Every structure is written in C-alpha cells, then in structure tokens.
Amino acid sequence: MSASAAQPEASAESRAQAPPAALSMREVLRIATMRRLWYAQIVSNFGDFLALFAVIGVLTFKLHATAQQVTGVQISYQVPIAVLGILAGVFVDRWPLKRTLVSSDIIRGFLVLALLLATQIWHYYLILAAISVVSSFFGPAQGVVIREAVPLHGLRSSNALMQQVMFIMRIIGPAAAGMLVASFGPNACYLLDAASFFASACFILSVTVLRSPTIHRHTAAEDRGAIAQIWHDMQQGLSFIIHHAALLFVILALASGMFIMGCFGPLIAVYVRDSIHAGNKVYGWASAMIGVGILIGINLLNTYGTRLRNSIQVYSGLAGIAIGLVLLAVLTQIWSTLLGNFLIGFAVAGIIIPAQTMIQQETPPALMGRVGSTVMSCVFSAQILGLLLSGALAQVTSVRHVFVICAGMLILLALAGKLFMEPKHAPAKP
C-alpha cells in the first residue's frame, strides 16, 4: 500500500481516537436530569441565603449579639459538615440516590420552619447545626448524580453552572433578604426557604436517577460487623485520595483557597477601616468585587479555558490569589482594594471549576460519595480554620501581614504540587 493511500486511513483513525469536544453550558442543560438539578439548586440556594441573612439580622439587631456570636452562626453551620463529611459519603455510596436527595430536602424544609419558633441565640445555633447535618448527605449525593447523568466531557460546564448559581445568590441574597426583612419581617425569609426546599424535592422527584452497577467484593470487615464495615469503607475512600497525587493536590488547593476566603471575609472590613480609612460603602463594594470576580472567572474559564490542563489552571489560581493578596498588602488605595478583591475572586474560580471537574473525572463511580464528602469536609474545615485563625493572626500582627503570610503559603503549595504531586509520565518507548 502506498504512503498516500495510508494517510487518509491514519487521519481517520486519529479522528476516531480524538476526545469529544467539551459540552457548553447550554448543551449540558439539555440533559433533563442536569437541568432539573440546576433548577433545584437555584431555588434552594436562594432560600438558604435569605434565611441565613435573616438570622444574622435577627441576632445583630434584635438579640444584640456580639461579633463572636454572629460569627458562631457560620461556624455552627459549617462544623457538622466538616466533622460528618467523611462518614456521610460511606452511606451515600450505599443508599438510593434519589431517595437520599428528596428526603434531605424535605427534612431541611421542616427544620427551617423551626426557625419560626426560635427566640434565643442557642436556638438558632442548634437548628442551623441540624440543617447542616442533613446537608452533609445531600451534597455528596448530588455530586454522584451529576457524575452519573453528565458525560465526562460535560462535567466542566455542569460544575460551572452549579457554582455560578451559588455565587449569584451570594450577591443578590443579602439585598433580597434585607428588603424582605424590612417589609415583612424575618419569618417571610424562613417561609420562603422552607418552600424552596420543598420545591427542590419536587424537581428531583421528576428526574430519573441511575447509578452505575458495581461489583460487590466481600471483605473481612463485613464479618466483623457494621461498624468495622463502615470504617473499612472510610479507609478505602481516604486511601484512594492519598495515593492519587494529582487528586490530593487539587483537594489541598481547593481547601487552601477556601481557607484564604475564610480568613479574608472577617479581615477585609478591618482592612478597609484601618488601612485605607474608608467606611461601609467601600467595604460593600470590596466584598461585592470578590463575587463579581468569581462569576466572571467561572464563565470565561469555562468558555476559553477548556484547552488548558486542569493542573495548570489550579497553579494559576493559586498564584492569582497570592498576587491579589500582595496587591492589598503593598497598596492601600480604594482602586487597588477593588482590583485586588476582583483578582482574588477570579483566581478562586480558576481553582474551583478544574478541581471539581478533575475530582469527578478521576474518581471511580463506586467511590464518588466518599471522595465527594471528603472534599466537602476538607473545604468546610478550611473555612472554619480560616474564620478562627483570622482574628488571632490579626491580633499578633497586622492585617496586611496576614495577607502576605497567606500569599506565601499559596506559593509554597503551588511549588509543592509542581515538584511532588504531578503525575510522572513514563518515557516513550522507541
């Protein structure tokens, strides 16, 4: 056969082996299961932010809570997910997915209604902690459903859609909650949040949820009882993460980004007051720029970043957060504050989307619940640690020095990932 005759055959073979083009957000939304999960995410997230900001308003202006007590609202919601996250994934990998999602929404809807009866600060802590316990099962189950419903080349867009909803609601939620509380009182926010959970359950009830069949392998832990079996399943998920260097790196990068956000949230108000000598108006702009940066970053990276490797985007995200922090530490102007916050938000998007996509692509379906819940536990633990350490570090040193310390940590993490956690490619055989 001549070389010219073999050439078309080779090109046809290469086209057959080429990976499919990444799906756009619009194409992902044509998948019925994904579309209805997205609707459920919109209504439930909007309700969540309404209720959370209404609770903060009640504690601040009605119960005259201290700053630490208000911060305790966030901590009481995040601690159960951080503690139970790893354990919840074991059950998510065993329970029916649809039943887990629907029952979680219904239970959380009734728990939100309990806020109508709350009169003491500890009542709010207890109710929010109970909601968090149930949410620790919902989050991993939702991740498994997305992984099963969306093809691998559509996971990036599906993650971008879900994250986009969360950050849009974070921007419009405070304003909507403020108007509702001022006009109708906090109970209106609680009722809307409960209704949003029931609506989310209805959307999920209307979808068909399938799980990939797995081969059950009998283990010695099953003979020792249920507790030993649960412990064995937890170890299996953790072992997979620890021995997958690239996956471990993106999880650490994601947790580091959330740690910085945890530190950054409480300290940015102090930075605006003490470093640039501005007031609430500038603080509001600065906080909004983080959300704007994340939204723009998610959309641009999902459209134009598909040709870049996930690891490259994570490195760039870590470096971008560090640059934004250094800009805040070196310059103390209003324009530099807004630009620095925008850069930090944009860079956080460069970590969130590729990290979640890589986690879903690299994790076997049988381990998705455990790996997803472990990631969620790490993220919430990092946020709690950031909340707790931000004030302590700022008392020992200045806020600007804290920003420099965090920037240095991110650069070291990026270097460690590049040197030790990237997969080693075997040399090509002649």
Side-chain angles (χ1 to χ4, degrees):
M1 183 182 292
S2 65
S4 59
Q7 197 169 12
E9 206 172 305
S11 62
E13 185 180 350
S14 63
R15 283 195 301 270
Q17 293 177 350
L23 297 178
S24 66
M25 291 185 185
R26 182 175 297 181
E27 290 171 328
V28 166
L29 285 177
R30 291 174 185 163
I31 302 172
T33 300
M34 181 64 207
R35 184 172 61 253
R36 291 172 188 174
L37 282 176
W38 186 63
Y39 293 155
Q41 180 92 338
I42 291 173
V43 295
S44 63
N45 272 12
F46 181 66
D48 283 348
F49 281 108
L50 286 182
L52 178 61
F53 284 102
V55 167
I56 292 175
V58 169
L59 264 62
T60 303
F61 301 108
K62 184 177 179 180
L63 300 180
H64 305 287
T66 65
Q68 289 181 337
Q69 289 172 326
V70 174
T71 304
V73 171
Q74 292 178 299
I75 295 176
S76 65
Y77 182 77
Q78 293 174 349
V79 165
I81 296 180
V83 174
L84 294 176
I86 299 175
L87 180 62
V90 174
F91 295 98
V92 168
D93 282 332
R94 294 174 175 272
W95 291 345
L97 293 173
K98 188 172 181 178
R99 193 180 305 168
T100 301
L101 291 172
V102 172
S103 59
S104 296
D105 272 338
I106 293 173
I107 293 171
R108 288 186 295 176
F110 283 113
L111 287 173
V112 169
L113 291 176
L115 291 171
L116 297 170
L117 307 176
T119 56
Q120 303 293 325
I121 293 177
W122 68 268
H123 293 168
Y124 293 97
Y125 287 175
L126 185 62
I127 294 169
L128 289 175
I131 294 172
S132 177
V133 170
V134 182
S135 296
S136 65
F137 295 91
F138 182 90
Q142 184 188 59
V144 177
V145 173
I146 292 174
R147 172 65 177 81
E148 297 287 355
V150 179
L152 290 179
H153 56 287
L155 289 176
R156 185 183 184 88
S157 291
S158 64
N159 289 321
L161 278 168
M162 290 302 195
Q163 292 297 324
Q164 191 180 62
V165 168
M166 187 176 69
F167 289 110
I168 289 175
M169 295 308 167
R170 178 169 290 181
I171 293 173
I172 68 176
M179 289 188 295
L180 282 172
V181 170
S183 302
F184 306 104
N187 287 351
C189 294
Y190 306 151
L191 291 172
L192 283 174
D193 190 19
S196 74
F197 279 123
F198 298 141
S200 174
C202 292
F203 280 122
I204 296 171
L205 275 172
S206 67
V207 304
T208 301
V209 177
L210 300 175
R211 189 195 288 267
S212 298
T214 57
I215 300 174
H216 175 72
R217 293 178 174 85
H218 187 81
T219 63
E222 294 178 4
D223 298 328
R224 294 196 295 267
I227 295 178
Q229 187 176 351
I230 291 172
W231 176 246
H232 172 267
D233 289 350
M234 288 174 59
Q235 287 180 315
Q236 193 175 22
L238 289 171
S239 177
F240 173 77
I241 293 173
I242 292 172
H243 291 92
H244 195 303
L247 200 61
L248 179 62
F249 168 67
V250 296
I251 293 173
L252 290 176
L254 187 60
S256 299
M258 294 302 103
F259 171 79
I260 298 302
M261 297 299 287
C263 284
F264 196 70
L267 293 184
I268 189 62
V270 180
Y271 172 83
V272 169
R273 183 193 67 192
D274 296 344
S275 297
I276 64 176
H277 309 291
N280 283 328
K281 191 174 183 180
V282 175
Y283 168 61
W285 291 346
S287 299
M289 289 305 291
I290 298 175
V292 171
I294 292 175
L295 280 178
I296 293 177
I298 286 174
N299 286 280
L300 287 180
L301 290 173
N302 187 64
T303 303
Y304 301 106
T306 53
R307 297 180 181 179
L308 295 175
R309 286 191 296 131
N310 289 329
S311 58
I312 296 297
Q313 293 184 53
V314 173
Y315 294 141
S316 302
L318 292 172
I321 297 175
I323 292 171
L325 291 171
V326 171
L327 183 63
L328 292 174
V330 174
L331 301 177
T332 55
Q333 303 294 325
I334 293 178
W335 68 266
S336 61
T337 301
L338 298 178
L339 178 59
N341 285 11
F342 176 82
L343 286 175
I344 290 171
F346 189 91
V348 167
I351 297 176
I352 292 175
I353 301 305
Q356 289 186 333
T357 303
M358 186 174 176
I359 289 166
Q360 291 174 329
Q361 289 176 340
E362 298 291 329
T363 304
L367 296 178
M368 268 302 301
R370 277 162 280 183
V371 173
S373 64
T374 302
V375 173
M376 190 170 64
S377 178
C378 292
V379 166
F380 277 87
S381 298
Q383 287 181 321
I384 294 169
L385 188 61
L387 283 170
L388 295 175
L389 288 183
S390 58
L393 288 173
Q395 287 181 349
V396 174
T397 181
S398 68
V399 172
R400 292 162 68 186
H401 287 162
V402 173
F403 291 165
V404 173
I405 293 171
C406 291
M409 290 170 50
L410 293 173
I411 295 299
L412 289 176
L413 177 61
L415 290 174
K418 184 66 178 175
L419 294 175
F420 304 111
M421 295 184 177
E422 278 202 353
K424 302 296 187 295
H425 299 286
K429 294 182 180 180

